[in-house]
Amino acid sequence: MSVTGEVLSVVKKIFLVSEELTRLSDEVKELSKNVIDHKGRLAVSANALSIAKRSFTRLNLRGN
């Protein structure tokens, strides 16, 4: 293989790696966004659970 052919082969591989890195970067961004969304949902669920526990405690105290 000539030097020109080898250079073209390396350049082609660099572009393929660059495209794959871009794809992976986009995927990581999407996963990060999903994690942030899930953290928000968990916080809301934890808050609702806390309110429910307080309400149950108050109802339980009134019932005795």
Side-chain angles (χ1 to χ4, degrees), residues 4-63:
T4 303
E6 288 180 23
V7 169
L8 288 175
S9 176
V10 169
V11 169
K12 184 184 277 186
K13 288 177 184 176
I14 289 171
F15 279 114
L16 290 174
V17 169
S18 175
E19 288 175 356
E20 184 64 12
L21 288 173
T22 300
R23 187 190 67 76
L24 289 172
S25 174
D26 292 343
E27 192 172 321
V28 168
K29 286 177 189 173
E30 184 65 27
L31 289 171
S32 296
K33 190 172 89 175
N34 288 342
V35 167
I36 291 168
D37 290 346
H38 287 295
K39 281 184 178 180
R41 289 183 188 137
L42 286 174
V44 169
S45 296
N47 192 30
L49 181 59
S50 175
I51 291 168
K53 283 181 182 178
R54 282 183 286 182
S55 295
F56 178 76
T57 301
R58 289 181 187 143
L59 289 173
N60 197 18
L61 290 174
R62 289 182 189 158

